[in-house]
Structures are given as structure tokens and as C-alpha cells.
Amino acid sequence: MSAGARVTAVVVTYNRRDLLTEALEALAAQTRRPDAVIVVDNASTDGTRDLVRTRFPDTDLLALGVNTGGAGGFAAGIARALDAPDAGLIWLMDDDTVPEPDALAALLDARERASGGPVLIASRVVWTDGRDHPMNTPRVKPGASRAELAAAREIGCRPVRSASFVSVLVDAAAVRERGLPVADYFLWNDDFEFTTRLLRGRTGLYCPASVVVHKTGTFGGADADPGDRFYYEVRNKLWLFTRSRGLAPAERVLYAGSSARRWTRAYLRSRDRATLRKGLREGVRDGLRRRPRPTSEVISAAMRRYDP
């Protein structure tokens, strides 16, 4: 699939119309513009829908009736993109992601020059001051062979095993085969589960030439104090380790150990350890006692509750 493939950008938003405006303006300013743009609005209450309709009328607005989180938003947006029979590539990003003008062109160029047909290529994500954002910087694929490393290095890339939803280009055919993100994750680890599932046994790349700015409120990594969101980290990781097909058995052990170390660091640094203990108890309970609802069920329920 070449640089001439149809590219659909999917942007998920919730109550951040000013940031969304920046993101959509940056998409319109790409040297190689997406062929279509889908904005998934997670039931915003700040006038986001009116903004999109009036200022960006060519955008496909998918308005949900309830907030399904990033997981549900991306699942719904990808499903909408796959409705197009000529869907080729899907470019995923949050509403606080501002791509540099050549971001998409660089992703497509890397894909064109890569060997082995990568099913996923991720951008370099920087913070507002230009530093690489630790929240969205993927590690080199564990156990990558010399041949994999050399082939990726030849085109200025690195092989990866997972990526975040902050600017990642995915192959639509691979998504049709391996499925949408799990909408019931709501937030955290949805991108990790989805991309590891997409990449198992296949090639994924990190492309530093494609740069986007992630305008998070603070600069930090995954071991920053999560507060009450720690519940989703625990529950979703347990779902991933016990129910997802994304990781091989040995990888589950590797990533489970990494998660345990990160949880320990977050706990030791936290000023509100009681909240983290509560999130751990409830996350373990729900992660082991129940399974995620089918993604189609989550999306359908959100669509039915939309009131224009």
C-alpha cells in the first residue's frame, strides 16, 4: 500500500474545543492532507459539536450520547472509518495532539520505504517545550532481531511492539482482521491492548521524522501519580493479561513485571496512597470477576443515547 492510499484521520474529543480547534487546523495544514477527517465527540457540553459543524463543515462529526472515554471514542471512530469500502489507512490522535505540517507525509514516506509491510507506524511525540514526551515514547521492541533493527534503522525508524493513540497510522485491513479497540476499557491501556494485538507477529515502526505536539497539562510518564484513575490502570491491565490475544505468554510475564514495578513507583511517590489502595482493590475485583462488554454493545448504546 503506497503513499497514495486513502488516509482517514480519527480525532477523539471531550470538552476541549480550543485544543480540538488547534488539532483540526493542523490537519488542514498538512503537506499531505488526510482524505477524510472524523471527529468523535464523547458527549461534550462545551459547544464542541457546533464548533465542528460551523468551522469545519467538511469534517465527519460522530456525536455520541454518553462519554465512552478514549477507548470507546476510538473504537467508534475506527468503525466509522472502516465503513468506507476504500479505507486504506487510519490516522489516530487525541484532541490535544497537534501534528507538525509534515507529520503525515513522513509516516507515509516511512511506510513506502519499509520492508515487511508494517501494519502500524507511530510518530515522535513531543511536549510543548520540544522534549520527547515520556507518556508517548515507545520502547524498542523487546527481543527485536538484528535484521529487524537494521531494516528499521535504514529508513530512520525503530521497531516497536506497541504504540499510543497520540498519532499512530494503522492499516485498515489489519484492523478488519484483528478487531477494534476494546471500548469498555474506557481509558488507559486501550491503545496498548489494541496495538499489541494488531502487531503480534507483525511489523510496527516508530518514525522520529513524523512529529506531533502532545499538549498535556503536565510533562510526565506513565508512573506519575494517577489518582482515582488507578482503578482503570489495574482493571484494564488484568483484562489485558487474562483476556487479550495481544501478548504471547512470555510477554505477559515481562509486561506484568514491568507494570508491578511502575505501580510500586507510583505508590511510593503518591501523596494520596489511600486512593491508590482503593483503586487497586476495586481494579483487581472487577478485572478478575467480570469481562469487558462487547465493543459493538458499548458503541450502539452510546449512539442510541445521542440527542442532537
Side-chain angles (χ1 to χ4, degrees):
M1 187 176 294
S2 71
R6 176 182 173 85
V7 178
T8 301
V10 173
V11 185
V12 176
T13 188
Y14 176 67
N15 280 343
R16 293 197 291 203
R17 52 176 289 164
D18 292 339
L19 285 169
L20 176 64
T21 298
E22 284 191 72
L24 295 180
E25 288 176 343
L27 289 177
Q30 292 294 297
T31 56
R32 196 299 196 183
R33 295 177 62 178
D35 300 286
V37 177
I38 298 170
V39 169
V40 183
D41 177 46
N42 256 323
S44 295
T45 57
D46 64 349
T48 287
R49 296 172 189 178
D50 289 339
L51 167 76
V52 174
R53 292 186 181 112
T54 56
R55 290 194 55 183
F56 305 96
D58 294 333
T59 297
D60 181 7
L61 175 63
L62 178 58
L64 302 181
V66 294
N67 182 8
T68 61
F74 281 111
I78 295 171
R80 175 69 70 96
L82 293 177
D83 283 342
D86 58 345
L89 300 168
I90 307 172
W91 190 18
L92 307 173
M93 67 190 70
D94 287 324
D95 55 4
D96 57 357
T97 304
V98 181
E100 295 293 319
D102 293 332
L104 179 56
L107 291 173
L108 293 171
D109 179 64
R111 181 181 176 81
E112 182 76 6
R113 295 188 294 129
S115 60
V119 298
L120 175 157
I121 304 182
S123 298
R124 177 189 173 205
V125 181
V126 301
W127 198 48
T128 53
D129 61 2
R131 288 181 291 172
D132 284 356
H133 207 313
M135 182 183 296
N136 310 113
T137 302
R139 294 182 300 172
V140 172
K141 177 183 176 182
S145 68
R146 290 184 179 180
E148 285 181 283
L149 292 169
R153 187 165 53 246
E154 187 174 334
I155 61 171
C157 295
R158 300 201 299 261
V160 295
R161 185 65 179 88
S162 65
S164 79
F165 280 154
V166 181
S167 187
V168 59
L169 188 72
V170 300
D171 184 277
V175 179
R176 291 185 193 279
E177 177 185 339
R178 298 205 170 175
L180 299 170
V182 182
D184 213 21
Y185 273 49
F186 191 74
L187 57 84
W188 280 18
N189 297 306
D190 49 314
D191 45 7
F192 182 69
E193 191 283 331
F194 174 69
T195 57
T196 55
R197 177 159 38 94
L198 212 62
L199 283 174
R200 186 169 178 180
R202 296 182 175 179
T203 301
L205 298 172
Y206 167 69
C207 176
S210 173
V211 180
V212 303
V213 180
H214 193 195
K215 294 195 168 185
T216 57
T218 57
F219 178 84
D223 57 355
D225 193 338
D228 56 9
R229 293 186 174 193
F230 189 55
Y231 163 80
Y232 294 105
E233 160 70 7
V234 174
R235 184 198 65 177
N236 295 351
K237 275 286 173 57
L238 288 175
W239 278 349
L240 190 155
F241 294 144
T242 62
R243 303 182 187 279
S244 172
R245 294 171 295 169
L247 299 175
E251 291 178 315
R252 294 181 189 183
V253 174
L254 172 68
Y255 284 107
S258 175
S259 295
R261 289 191 298 272
R262 190 165 56 251
W263 293 357
T264 300
R265 288 196 301 268
Y267 181 80
L268 293 176
R269 295 173 182 175
S270 176
R271 296 182 178 180
D272 185 7
R273 294 179 178 179
T275 294
L276 298 194
R277 289 195 297 269
K278 180 174 182 288
L280 178 64
R281 289 194 305 271
E282 296 181 353
V284 168
R285 178 197 65 201
D286 292 346
L288 296 178
R289 288 186 179 179
R290 68 179 185 88
R291 64 179 61 241
R293 291 173 294 165
T295 289
S296 58
E297 177 183 317
V298 176
I299 295 175
S300 296
M303 293 292 291
R304 285 196 303 269
R305 294 183 62 178
Y306 169 54
D307 182 18

